Amino acid sequence: MTLPLAFSPEVAAARAAGRPLVALESTIVTHGMPWPQNLETARAVEDDVRGAGAVPATIAAMEGVIHIGLAPDRLEQLARAEGVVKLSRADLAVCLAQGRTGATTVAATMIAAHLAGIAVFATGGIGGVHRGAETSFDISADLQELARTPVTVVAAGAKAILDLGKTLEVLETLGVPVIAMGQDAFPAFWSRDSGLQAPLRLDDPVAIAAAHAMRARLGIAGGQLVANPIPTADEIPAAELAPLIAQVQAEAGAAGITGKAVTPFLLQRILSLTAGRSLAANIALVRSNARLAAAIAVALADGDN
Ligand code: PSU
Ligand code: MN
């Protein structure tokens, strides 16, 4: 039985040469950002990974296989496509078996990266526990995936539209190391400081790579969440966003938005209310995460961990 994976020429060459790889997700392209910034960002993020000495592998499901690396025409096709399915762990096999086009979330990208032997993955912000989860039960499958699949995920924390305190509690329960990069505070996506302390802190990519390798040596299941604060110049202070987040949260409730639609709805509304500032911040943080992920992948490949 062969795995339903298709490697792009760039990724295939990198694998043959043993070069460090960084997985990138595609839901941020199809559901997280509007056209054409989604394509521009996806390209810039890939270049950031290359510039930091690693090879990018953007992941998506198309024609019955998981593409590990998207050639430029495929990336553009995905960025322009409408009605693409948002794939988490639950949806991946059905989408592939049906030969449909699907964009991978953090959870599905982790599964695909692991199948492809890629240990490091960069995204914007992971999914987590939604506000009001005590009644809606809306908790992203990203959290469970971090507990079971051995991939180091670099994100700017969890998205600030979430209940970050509850998200940290669930990650602790699941045994997921949450490592803030270079600061004590847990970052809040568009803002550097959520007001919450991160459980762990490391200050350089070599240390993060060593922790990843040690986890594997110990046989502990699951990955690591590296919470990399957005660059100072690009952040939107949390106090400025708080009333907007409360507003869009209420709107989602009133409009009866549930399930997979919740996160894209909230992000899109914040984008409109900030007149695009949240999008600029989102782009800056993903690019910064890609550079850090590449440095971690390079450190892992250098071995001696
Ligand atoms: N990061 C971003 N924008 C996004 C996402 C992450 O900057 O749109 C996506 C990721 O794919 C993440 C998903 O896994 O949002 C979470 O969706 P949900 O809350 O439905 O699990
Ligand atoms: Mn959800």
Side-chain angles (χ1 to χ4, degrees):
M1 285 261 276
T2 53
L3 286 168
L5 301 180
F7 297 96
S8 68
E10 184 186 16
V11 170
R15 281 162 57 89
R19 297 195 53 207
L21 284 150
V22 172
L24 300 166
E25 62 150 305
S26 45
T27 295
I28 190 167
V29 179
T30 54
H31 294 71
M33 291 183 187
W35 171 268
Q37 287 93 345
N38 60 347
L39 179 60
E40 289 161 16
T41 305
R43 286 181 173 152
V45 165
E46 290 194 344
D47 282 341
D48 289 325
V49 171
R50 293 186 189 101
V55 175
T58 303
I59 291 175
M62 289 174 171
E63 299 134 7
V65 287
I66 307 177
H67 289 263
I68 310 291
L70 296 177
D73 56 330
R74 277 192 185 277
L75 185 60
E76 177 163 353
Q77 186 192 333
L78 189 73
R80 286 181 180 276
E82 306 216 346
V84 174
V85 199
K86 176 178 162 187
L87 303 177
S88 191
R89 167 175 278 267
D91 323 284
L92 192 56
V94 171
C95 175
L96 291 169
Q98 302 259 299
R100 298 184 63 188
T101 297
T104 51
T105 59
V106 168
T109 306
M110 288 180 75
I111 294 170
H114 181 51
L115 289 173
I118 303 175
V120 185
F121 160 30
T123 182
I126 62 159
V129 182
H130 279 272
R131 297 171 188 216
E134 58 275 24
T135 50
S136 69
F137 277 49
D138 190 350
I139 301 177
S140 176
D142 292 353
L143 302 186
Q144 293 267 18
E145 205 59 50
L146 279 160
R148 62 202 291 181
T149 302
V151 171
T152 285
V153 178
V154 182
K159 285 187 270 282
I161 49 174
L162 301 166
D163 185 323
L164 297 182
K166 288 195 181 78
T167 299
L168 285 175
E169 290 292 352
V170 170
L171 287 165
E172 183 187 67
T173 302
L174 293 172
V176 176
V178 177
I179 303 165
M181 169 69 184
Q183 67 177 31
D184 295 324
F186 184 61
F189 198 63
W190 300 293
S191 320
R192 288 176 64 84
D193 188 347
S194 63
L196 299 162
Q197 190 88 356
L200 298 163
R201 168 186 175 156
L202 291 172
D203 290 337
D204 69 86
V206 174
I208 295 167
H212 177 104
M214 183 57 77
R215 203 169 162 85
R217 282 173 68 192
L218 292 170
I220 299 177
Q224 312 188 104
L225 174 61
V226 176
N228 184 34
I230 182 173
T232 311
D234 303 297
E235 82 161 328
I236 308 177
E240 216 175 295
L241 285 169
L244 305 184
I245 292 172
Q247 177 187 334
V248 302
Q249 186 70 32
E251 286 176 10
I257 311 274
T258 56
K260 286 168 187 288
V262 173
T263 296
F265 175 87
L266 295 174
L267 291 177
Q268 165 55 42
R269 287 295 296 135
I270 294 278
L271 191 157
S272 321
L273 292 173
T274 60
R277 262 178 84 209
S278 70
L279 178 59
N282 198 345
I283 292 168
L285 68 85
V286 188
R287 296 189 59 180
S288 163
N289 294 343
R291 291 188 290 268
L292 176 57
I296 296 167
V298 168
L300 261 181
D302 284 348
D304 301 325
N305 290 300

